[in-house]
Amino acid sequence: MKWQNAFSKIPAFKALKNGHLLPKSPLRDLDDLRRLLDFIHIKFCLLKPYAEIKGYPMVDARDLLPSFEPSLTEFPELPGFSMVALGRSLDYFNEIFQFDLLHTCRDPDRRVLGNSCVLEASLHSKNLACFLAHMSKEMREEFKEATRDHQISDISSYSLLIGFLSRMDRAHVLSLDCDGQFYLSGIYASLPSDLDTELKRFGLRSRKFKPNDNLVYENNREFVYQFLMELYGYPISSERKTSAAIFARRLHKMGEKFLVKALGQSDRTLTSIFSTQSGHAYPRVEKVALVPVEIRGMDVLDYLDKGGYFFDRKRRTVILRVVYRQHKFDANNVRQDRALSVWRQEIIHPLTGEVCTSVNLLKDTYTMSLKLNDIVRGEFVGRVVYKKNDIVENTETHEKRLKFLHSWLSKHQRRMIGYSDEFYAEIVRVLDGYLGDPSLAEEFSEHHELYHEVWTTFSYIKQAREIKELEDLKDRMYKGKKISYLEMLRLSTAVLADLRFEFAHYFEPLVTKAIFFSESMLNDRYLIKTYMTPKEDQLTENGMVIRKLYRKLVSLVDELKAIRKTKAEA
């Protein structure tokens, strides 16, 4: 379909022949503004470039899964922007960031009687001059011609302006006028990111940093930095994205109603960070990108095709929105690096804007298994970033396959820790078959360090799955079901009895967590009061079994502590 027709059948908007989208009623609510801006940005910053630029670089759906990887390739011909919308009127002097102010007949500090505005021509000239001051020479004549009959600050002109705003430096600003309607109220905004203060405060609160301890700071800084950025939807990356993330954090902590949006020329992804109901620890994070639907069952392809969800049927291109859920840092969690997880995914209809949530493009374990098979066979076509700075284009050599595997395992590590036994068994079969193939021993010896890195990452996942079982048992959960205290103790003692023979080879953080989870079970108040405090003649037969298992767990934990101490001394 033509990009100009996109979202032309949304009842709340008026679609013009040139593709511009206008709201049919005044926008006074931040959610309504976000909805309009989402469709305008998708249409003019994703679909239009896709249609006009040959070989538009679509986003692999995998790239929308946390943890996010920095994009090392810049596409200067693509649009990019950042913006902030505030659900209130501006107080120019007292705002916490710098920007050039635009004006409207309904400025917050100006009162105009009636529907006419005698200052309209003057305001247009003023706003025009403000824009031209920050434009390249080539853009100026184009801008003056395009905006000749438009009131620049009016929200109805935004579809026209986004083509220019996405080629300009810094952010633009939207806020409410004196009538409570949104308008474009500023450009050339610097969104301040006091990164140093935020990073150190977050690190100290999460106990990853210690005051004045340089060594601890050096060892944990990257982890804290990455976790903090990912909470707001980004990897450690460009200044535009860092500013958007940290500024959104600041606005949220101030209790502002806000919307921050950014589009990078490297990630080709629209990221929205916005306030939700009060009491939420973090603002909501959403991402939208154009992604290809990989070869799957024909029933899924037919469903999307008949529903009209393909923007480009030939390339199976869809508009995918992913909504994320944030997680507070927990040092005792096996997946402690998990700042973000996928909450919902929506395929957006290119005409009506309706969403399909029944097709899983991101967490399809079957597709992931196929990809892994393709990697080890050298048949995978695509690219990955190995260790943040090495772009690997294909899997034609064993060196490249190992780099792909390292990247793949690192990317999906925390998901694999929680996957079902059936799916994980298939992953193990593929990896063991490749990494343990005797015929490849000589080949792997030439890349010993890389081979060891892959094995280490794989081994960590194997061990973490065992410890994750203890973490679940601590809460009396097993395979997603609630269990009794008897089952909790029976299963946990069985796990620890097996682990003690391998514990000397376990990663130190996992050993510490295993002991923590086990001690949490032993310190359960109800368990102690009901089964350990009473005299033996007061216990039922079931209670006697629980007491016996409890004492066995105490013995196993002591044994694990002794193993840890011996290992530390060695």
PDB file of all heavy atoms in Angstrom, residues 402-428:
ATOM      1  N   LEU A 402      30.999 -18.932  16.298  1.00  0.00           N
ATOM      2  CA  LEU A 402      31.228 -18.807  17.734  1.00  0.00           C
ATOM      3  C   LEU A 402      30.865 -17.401  18.217  1.00  0.00           C
ATOM      4  O   LEU A 402      30.301 -17.238  19.309  1.00  0.00           O
ATOM      5  CB  LEU A 402      32.686 -19.128  18.069  1.00  0.00           C
ATOM      6  CG  LEU A 402      33.088 -20.605  17.931  1.00  0.00           C
ATOM      7  CD1 LEU A 402      34.600 -20.754  18.073  1.00  0.00           C
ATOM      8  CD2 LEU A 402      32.368 -21.466  18.968  1.00  0.00           C
ATOM      9  N   LYS A 403      31.183 -16.394  17.422  1.00  0.00           N
ATOM     10  CA  LYS A 403      30.826 -15.022  17.798  1.00  0.00           C
ATOM     11  C   LYS A 403      29.311 -14.851  17.798  1.00  0.00           C
ATOM     12  O   LYS A 403      28.742 -14.191  18.688  1.00  0.00           O
ATOM     13  CB  LYS A 403      31.484 -14.017  16.842  1.00  0.00           C
ATOM     14  CG  LYS A 403      32.984 -13.874  17.053  1.00  0.00           C
ATOM     15  CD  LYS A 403      33.582 -12.833  16.121  1.00  0.00           C
ATOM     16  CE  LYS A 403      35.078 -12.655  16.409  1.00  0.00           C
ATOM     17  NZ  LYS A 403      35.707 -11.638  15.512  1.00  0.00           N
ATOM     18  N   PHE A 404      28.637 -15.447  16.806  1.00  0.00           N
ATOM     19  CA  PHE A 404      27.176 -15.411  16.772  1.00  0.00           C
ATOM     20  C   PHE A 404      26.606 -16.093  18.012  1.00  0.00           C
ATOM     21  O   PHE A 404      25.663 -15.591  18.638  1.00  0.00           O
ATOM     22  CB  PHE A 404      26.657 -16.106  15.508  1.00  0.00           C
ATOM     23  CG  PHE A 404      26.207 -15.160  14.433  1.00  0.00           C
ATOM     24  CD1 PHE A 404      27.129 -14.558  13.576  1.00  0.00           C
ATOM     25  CD2 PHE A 404      24.867 -14.859  14.266  1.00  0.00           C
ATOM     26  CE1 PHE A 404      26.721 -13.694  12.583  1.00  0.00           C
ATOM     27  CE2 PHE A 404      24.443 -13.993  13.282  1.00  0.00           C
ATOM     28  CZ  PHE A 404      25.364 -13.413  12.428  1.00  0.00           C
ATOM     29  N   LEU A 405      27.166 -17.269  18.349  1.00  0.00           N
ATOM     30  CA  LEU A 405      26.670 -18.007  19.510  1.00  0.00           C
ATOM     31  C   LEU A 405      26.865 -17.216  20.798  1.00  0.00           C
ATOM     32  O   LEU A 405      25.982 -17.180  21.658  1.00  0.00           O
ATOM     33  CB  LEU A 405      27.370 -19.359  19.622  1.00  0.00           C
ATOM     34  CG  LEU A 405      26.913 -20.453  18.654  1.00  0.00           C
ATOM     35  CD1 LEU A 405      27.747 -21.713  18.855  1.00  0.00           C
ATOM     36  CD2 LEU A 405      25.435 -20.770  18.864  1.00  0.00           C
ATOM     37  N   HIS A 406      28.025 -16.589  20.948  1.00  0.00           N
ATOM     38  CA  HIS A 406      28.280 -15.789  22.147  1.00  0.00           C
ATOM     39  C   HIS A 406      27.272 -14.657  22.255  1.00  0.00           C
ATOM     40  O   HIS A 406      26.702 -14.406  23.330  1.00  0.00           O
ATOM     41  CB  HIS A 406      29.709 -15.231  22.109  1.00  0.00           C
ATOM     42  CG  HIS A 406      30.091 -14.496  23.357  1.00  0.00           C
ATOM     43  ND1 HIS A 406      29.800 -13.161  23.542  1.00  0.00           N
ATOM     44  CD2 HIS A 406      30.717 -14.913  24.495  1.00  0.00           C
ATOM     45  CE1 HIS A 406      30.237 -12.781  24.726  1.00  0.00           C
ATOM     46  NE2 HIS A 406      30.800 -13.817  25.328  1.00  0.00           N
ATOM     47  N   SER A 407      27.050 -13.977  21.137  1.00  0.00           N
ATOM     48  CA  SER A 407      26.078 -12.879  21.127  1.00  0.00           C
ATOM     49  C   SER A 407      24.669 -13.396  21.401  1.00  0.00           C
ATOM     50  O   SER A 407      23.909 -12.799  22.168  1.00  0.00           O
ATOM     51  CB  SER A 407      26.133 -12.156  19.775  1.00  0.00           C
ATOM     52  OG  SER A 407      25.135 -11.163  19.690  1.00  0.00           O
ATOM     53  N   TRP A 408      24.314 -14.512  20.780  1.00  0.00           N
ATOM     54  CA  TRP A 408      22.973 -15.096  20.921  1.00  0.00           C
ATOM     55  C   TRP A 408      22.723 -15.538  22.358  1.00  0.00           C
ATOM     56  O   TRP A 408      21.665 -15.261  22.937  1.00  0.00           O
ATOM     57  CB  TRP A 408      22.855 -16.281  19.965  1.00  0.00           C
ATOM     58  CG  TRP A 408      21.463 -16.800  19.770  1.00  0.00           C
ATOM     59  CD1 TRP A 408      20.561 -16.410  18.827  1.00  0.00           C
ATOM     60  CD2 TRP A 408      20.834 -17.839  20.524  1.00  0.00           C
ATOM     61  NE1 TRP A 408      19.395 -17.135  18.948  1.00  0.00           N
ATOM     62  CE2 TRP A 408      19.537 -18.014  19.986  1.00  0.00           C
ATOM     63  CE3 TRP A 408      21.227 -18.635  21.590  1.00  0.00           C
ATOM     64  CZ2 TRP A 408      18.637 -18.946  20.483  1.00  0.00           C
ATOM     65  CZ3 TRP A 408      20.327 -19.560  22.094  1.00  0.00           C
ATOM     66  CH2 TRP A 408      19.052 -19.706  21.541  1.00  0.00           C
ATOM     67  N   LEU A 409      23.705 -16.209  22.964  1.00  0.00           N
ATOM     68  CA  LEU A 409      23.556 -16.676  24.340  1.00  0.00           C
ATOM     69  C   LEU A 409      23.510 -15.505  25.318  1.00  0.00           C
ATOM     70  O   LEU A 409      22.735 -15.519  26.280  1.00  0.00           O
ATOM     71  CB  LEU A 409      24.713 -17.620  24.709  1.00  0.00           C
ATOM     72  CG  LEU A 409      24.698 -18.991  24.022  1.00  0.00           C
ATOM     73  CD1 LEU A 409      26.003 -19.730  24.297  1.00  0.00           C
ATOM     74  CD2 LEU A 409      23.512 -19.822  24.494  1.00  0.00           C
ATOM     75  N   SER A 410      24.337 -14.493  25.078  1.00  0.00           N
ATOM     76  CA  SER A 410      24.337 -13.314  25.956  1.00  0.00           C
ATOM     77  C   SER A 410      23.012 -12.567  25.861  1.00  0.00           C
ATOM     78  O   SER A 410      22.472 -12.117  26.878  1.00  0.00           O
ATOM     79  CB  SER A 410      25.494 -12.373  25.582  1.00  0.00           C
ATOM     80  OG  SER A 410      26.740 -13.026  25.712  1.00  0.00           O
ATOM     81  N   LYS A 411      22.497 -12.454  24.649  1.00  0.00           N
ATOM     82  CA  LYS A 411      21.234 -11.743  24.425  1.00  0.00           C
ATOM     83  C   LYS A 411      20.073 -12.450  25.119  1.00  0.00           C
ATOM     84  O   LYS A 411      19.226 -11.810  25.744  1.00  0.00           O
ATOM     85  CB  LYS A 411      20.979 -11.671  22.913  1.00  0.00           C
ATOM     86  CG  LYS A 411      19.611 -11.127  22.510  1.00  0.00           C
ATOM     87  CD  LYS A 411      19.552  -9.630  22.579  1.00  0.00           C
ATOM     88  CE  LYS A 411      18.244  -9.098  22.034  1.00  0.00           C
ATOM     89  NZ  LYS A 411      18.132  -7.644  22.114  1.00  0.00           N
ATOM     90  N   HIS A 412      20.013 -13.768  24.994  1.00  0.00           N
ATOM     91  CA  HIS A 412      18.857 -14.527  25.481  1.00  0.00           C
ATOM     92  C   HIS A 412      19.117 -15.232  26.813  1.00  0.00           C
ATOM     93  O   HIS A 412      18.312 -16.065  27.231  1.00  0.00           O
ATOM     94  CB  HIS A 412      18.443 -15.559  24.431  1.00  0.00           C
ATOM     95  CG  HIS A 412      18.030 -14.948  23.126  1.00  0.00           C
ATOM     96  ND1 HIS A 412      16.883 -14.201  22.995  1.00  0.00           N
ATOM     97  CD2 HIS A 412      18.617 -14.953  21.907  1.00  0.00           C
ATOM     98  CE1 HIS A 412      16.772 -13.779  21.741  1.00  0.00           C
ATOM     99  NE2 HIS A 412      17.812 -14.222  21.067  1.00  0.00           N
ATOM    100  N   GLN A 413      20.204 -14.880  27.457  1.00  0.00           N
ATOM    101  CA  GLN A 413      20.620 -15.584  28.674  1.00  0.00           C
ATOM    102  C   GLN A 413      19.513 -15.642  29.720  1.00  0.00           C
ATOM    103  O   GLN A 413      19.150 -16.701  30.216  1.00  0.00           O
ATOM    104  CB  GLN A 413      21.855 -14.904  29.255  1.00  0.00           C
ATOM    105  CG  GLN A 413      22.282 -15.439  30.612  1.00  0.00           C
ATOM    106  CD  GLN A 413      23.554 -14.767  31.085  1.00  0.00           C
ATOM    107  OE1 GLN A 413      24.603 -14.906  30.470  1.00  0.00           O
ATOM    108  NE2 GLN A 413      23.462 -14.018  32.174  1.00  0.00           N
ATOM    109  N   ARG A 414      18.952 -14.480  30.073  1.00  0.00           N
ATOM    110  CA  ARG A 414      17.974 -14.480  31.165  1.00  0.00           C
ATOM    111  C   ARG A 414      16.648 -15.110  30.772  1.00  0.00           C
ATOM    112  O   ARG A 414      15.916 -15.590  31.626  1.00  0.00           O
ATOM    113  CB  ARG A 414      17.777 -13.056  31.679  1.00  0.00           C
ATOM    114  CG  ARG A 414      17.311 -12.046  30.684  1.00  0.00           C
ATOM    115  CD  ARG A 414      17.675 -10.663  31.209  1.00  0.00           C
ATOM    116  NE  ARG A 414      17.023  -9.604  30.475  1.00  0.00           N
ATOM    117  CZ  ARG A 414      17.477  -8.366  30.411  1.00  0.00           C
ATOM    118  NH1 ARG A 414      18.584  -8.054  31.055  1.00  0.00           N
ATOM    119  NH2 ARG A 414      16.841  -7.432  29.751  1.00  0.00           N
ATOM    120  N   ARG A 415      16.343 -15.114  29.450  1.00  0.00           N
ATOM    121  CA  ARG A 415      15.133 -15.816  29.013  1.00  0.00           C
ATOM    122  C   ARG A 415      15.353 -17.331  29.078  1.00  0.00           C
ATOM    123  O   ARG A 415      14.461 -18.082  29.470  1.00  0.00           O
ATOM    124  CB  ARG A 415      14.764 -15.398  27.587  1.00  0.00           C
ATOM    125  CG  ARG A 415      13.863 -14.179  27.529  1.00  0.00           C
ATOM    126  CD  ARG A 415      13.597 -13.742  26.108  1.00  0.00           C
ATOM    127  NE  ARG A 415      14.794 -13.208  25.479  1.00  0.00           N
ATOM    128  CZ  ARG A 415      15.244 -11.970  25.686  1.00  0.00           C
ATOM    129  NH1 ARG A 415      14.613 -11.174  26.494  1.00  0.00           N
ATOM    130  NH2 ARG A 415      16.331 -11.536  25.091  1.00  0.00           N
ATOM    131  N   MET A 416      16.545 -17.774  28.670  1.00  0.00           N
ATOM    132  CA  MET A 416      16.836 -19.206  28.679  1.00  0.00           C
ATOM    133  C   MET A 416      16.834 -19.774  30.095  1.00  0.00           C
ATOM    134  O   MET A 416      16.484 -20.928  30.311  1.00  0.00           O
ATOM    135  CB  MET A 416      18.180 -19.473  28.004  1.00  0.00           C
ATOM    136  CG  MET A 416      18.166 -19.225  26.498  1.00  0.00           C
ATOM    137  SD  MET A 416      19.790 -19.419  25.762  1.00  0.00           S
ATOM    138  CE  MET A 416      20.054 -21.162  26.009  1.00  0.00           C
ATOM    139  N   ILE A 417      17.202 -18.942  31.069  1.00  0.00           N
ATOM    140  CA  ILE A 417      17.195 -19.392  32.455  1.00  0.00           C
ATOM    141  C   ILE A 417      15.779 -19.768  32.893  1.00  0.00           C
ATOM    142  O   ILE A 417      15.582 -20.680  33.703  1.00  0.00           O
ATOM    143  CB  ILE A 417      17.789 -18.300  33.380  1.00  0.00           C
ATOM    144  CG1 ILE A 417      19.291 -18.142  33.102  1.00  0.00           C
ATOM    145  CG2 ILE A 417      17.544 -18.610  34.846  1.00  0.00           C
ATOM    146  CD1 ILE A 417      19.930 -16.956  33.794  1.00  0.00           C
ATOM    147  N   GLY A 418      14.777 -19.094  32.319  1.00  0.00           N
ATOM    148  CA  GLY A 418      13.403 -19.352  32.723  1.00  0.00           C
ATOM    149  C   GLY A 418      12.592 -20.179  31.752  1.00  0.00           C
ATOM    150  O   GLY A 418      11.388 -20.380  31.969  1.00  0.00           O
ATOM    151  N   TYR A 419      13.202 -20.655  30.663  1.00  0.00           N
ATOM    152  CA  TYR A 419      12.449 -21.420  29.662  1.00  0.00           C
ATOM    153  C   TYR A 419      12.044 -22.801  30.181  1.00  0.00           C
ATOM    154  O   TYR A 419      12.627 -23.327  31.126  1.00  0.00           O
ATOM    155  CB  TYR A 419      13.277 -21.584  28.390  1.00  0.00           C
ATOM    156  CG  TYR A 419      13.164 -20.436  27.418  1.00  0.00           C
ATOM    157  CD1 TYR A 419      14.241 -20.072  26.618  1.00  0.00           C
ATOM    158  CD2 TYR A 419      11.980 -19.711  27.286  1.00  0.00           C
ATOM    159  CE1 TYR A 419      14.145 -19.005  25.727  1.00  0.00           C
ATOM    160  CE2 TYR A 419      11.882 -18.663  26.405  1.00  0.00           C
ATOM    161  CZ  TYR A 419      12.961 -18.313  25.622  1.00  0.00           C
ATOM    162  OH  TYR A 419      12.862 -17.274  24.748  1.00  0.00           O
ATOM    163  N   SER A 420      11.066 -23.390  29.519  1.00  0.00           N
ATOM    164  CA  SER A 420      10.582 -24.724  29.894  1.00  0.00           C
ATOM    165  C   SER A 420      11.675 -25.764  29.674  1.00  0.00           C
ATOM    166  O   SER A 420      12.595 -25.575  28.873  1.00  0.00           O
ATOM    167  CB  SER A 420       9.354 -25.086  29.052  1.00  0.00           C
ATOM    168  OG  SER A 420       9.726 -25.268  27.692  1.00  0.00           O
ATOM    169  N   ASP A 421      11.546 -26.877  30.375  1.00  0.00           N
ATOM    170  CA  ASP A 421      12.536 -27.947  30.256  1.00  0.00           C
ATOM    171  C   ASP A 421      12.609 -28.492  28.832  1.00  0.00           C
ATOM    172  O   ASP A 421      13.687 -28.822  28.340  1.00  0.00           O
ATOM    173  CB  ASP A 421      12.192 -29.080  31.225  1.00  0.00           C
ATOM    174  CG  ASP A 421      12.374 -28.670  32.678  1.00  0.00           C
ATOM    175  OD1 ASP A 421      13.107 -27.692  32.919  1.00  0.00           O
ATOM    176  OD2 ASP A 421      11.781 -29.321  33.556  1.00  0.00           O
ATOM    177  N   GLU A 422      11.446 -28.562  28.161  1.00  0.00           N
ATOM    178  CA  GLU A 422      11.395 -29.116  26.805  1.00  0.00           C
ATOM    179  C   GLU A 422      12.188 -28.256  25.832  1.00  0.00           C
ATOM    180  O   GLU A 422      13.000 -28.758  25.046  1.00  0.00           O
ATOM    181  CB  GLU A 422       9.948 -29.242  26.328  1.00  0.00           C
ATOM    182  CG  GLU A 422       9.103 -30.248  27.091  1.00  0.00           C
ATOM    183  CD  GLU A 422       8.647 -29.724  28.447  1.00  0.00           C
ATOM    184  OE1 GLU A 422       8.745 -28.489  28.676  1.00  0.00           O
ATOM    185  OE2 GLU A 422       8.197 -30.538  29.276  1.00  0.00           O
ATOM    186  N   PHE A 423      11.942 -26.941  25.893  1.00  0.00           N
ATOM    187  CA  PHE A 423      12.652 -26.057  24.971  1.00  0.00           C
ATOM    188  C   PHE A 423      14.140 -26.012  25.296  1.00  0.00           C
ATOM    189  O   PHE A 423      14.989 -26.054  24.410  1.00  0.00           O
ATOM    190  CB  PHE A 423      12.065 -24.648  25.026  1.00  0.00           C
ATOM    191  CG  PHE A 423      12.847 -23.640  24.232  1.00  0.00           C
ATOM    192  CD1 PHE A 423      12.878 -23.716  22.844  1.00  0.00           C
ATOM    193  CD2 PHE A 423      13.568 -22.634  24.852  1.00  0.00           C
ATOM    194  CE1 PHE A 423      13.610 -22.810  22.097  1.00  0.00           C
ATOM    195  CE2 PHE A 423      14.296 -21.728  24.114  1.00  0.00           C
ATOM    196  CZ  PHE A 423      14.318 -21.807  22.731  1.00  0.00           C
ATOM    197  N   TYR A 424      14.452 -25.947  26.586  1.00  0.00           N
ATOM    198  CA  TYR A 424      15.861 -25.881  26.980  1.00  0.00           C
ATOM    199  C   TYR A 424      16.602 -27.147  26.557  1.00  0.00           C
ATOM    200  O   TYR A 424      17.771 -27.085  26.148  1.00  0.00           O
ATOM    201  CB  TYR A 424      15.970 -25.678  28.490  1.00  0.00           C
ATOM    202  CG  TYR A 424      17.396 -25.591  28.971  1.00  0.00           C
ATOM    203  CD1 TYR A 424      18.187 -24.492  28.664  1.00  0.00           C
ATOM    204  CD2 TYR A 424      17.967 -26.627  29.713  1.00  0.00           C
ATOM    205  CE1 TYR A 424      19.501 -24.415  29.087  1.00  0.00           C
ATOM    206  CE2 TYR A 424      19.276 -26.561  30.134  1.00  0.00           C
ATOM    207  CZ  TYR A 424      20.036 -25.448  29.818  1.00  0.00           C
ATOM    208  OH  TYR A 424      21.345 -25.378  30.226  1.00  0.00           O
ATOM    209  N   ALA A 425      15.943 -28.307  26.639  1.00  0.00           N
ATOM    210  CA  ALA A 425      16.569 -29.565  26.227  1.00  0.00           C
ATOM    211  C   ALA A 425      16.957 -29.523  24.756  1.00  0.00           C
ATOM    212  O   ALA A 425      18.009 -30.050  24.358  1.00  0.00           O
ATOM    213  CB  ALA A 425      15.614 -30.732  26.492  1.00  0.00           C
ATOM    214  N   GLU A 426      16.129 -28.871  23.932  1.00  0.00           N
ATOM    215  CA  GLU A 426      16.443 -28.742  22.505  1.00  0.00           C
ATOM    216  C   GLU A 426      17.655 -27.829  22.300  1.00  0.00           C
ATOM    217  O   GLU A 426      18.529 -28.110  21.471  1.00  0.00           O
ATOM    218  CB  GLU A 426      15.226 -28.185  21.765  1.00  0.00           C
ATOM    219  CG  GLU A 426      15.437 -27.868  20.297  1.00  0.00           C
ATOM    220  CD  GLU A 426      15.799 -29.085  19.447  1.00  0.00           C
ATOM    221  OE1 GLU A 426      15.575 -30.230  19.913  1.00  0.00           O
ATOM    222  OE2 GLU A 426      16.309 -28.904  18.334  1.00  0.00           O
ATOM    223  N   ILE A 427      17.735 -26.762  23.072  1.00  0.00           N
ATOM    224  CA  ILE A 427      18.884 -25.852  23.000  1.00  0.00           C
ATOM    225  C   ILE A 427      20.167 -26.593  23.380  1.00  0.00           C
ATOM    226  O   ILE A 427      21.195 -26.483  22.710  1.00  0.00           O
ATOM    227  CB  ILE A 427      18.674 -24.647  23.939  1.00  0.00           C
ATOM    228  CG1 ILE A 427      17.454 -23.823  23.505  1.00  0.00           C
ATOM    229  CG2 ILE A 427      19.916 -23.772  24.006  1.00  0.00           C
ATOM    230  CD1 ILE A 427      17.565 -23.190  22.153  1.00  0.00           C
ATOM    231  N   VAL A 428      20.088 -27.358  24.458  1.00  0.00           N
ATOM    232  CA  VAL A 428      21.258 -28.113  24.923  1.00  0.00           C
ATOM    233  C   VAL A 428      21.695 -29.115  23.861  1.00  0.00           C
ATOM    234  O   VAL A 428      22.895 -29.290  23.599  1.00  0.00           O
ATOM    235  CB  VAL A 428      20.942 -28.833  26.254  1.00  0.00           C
ATOM    236  CG1 VAL A 428      22.057 -29.801  26.621  1.00  0.00           C
ATOM    237  CG2 VAL A 428      20.737 -27.812  27.363  1.00  0.00           C
TER     238      VAL A 428
END
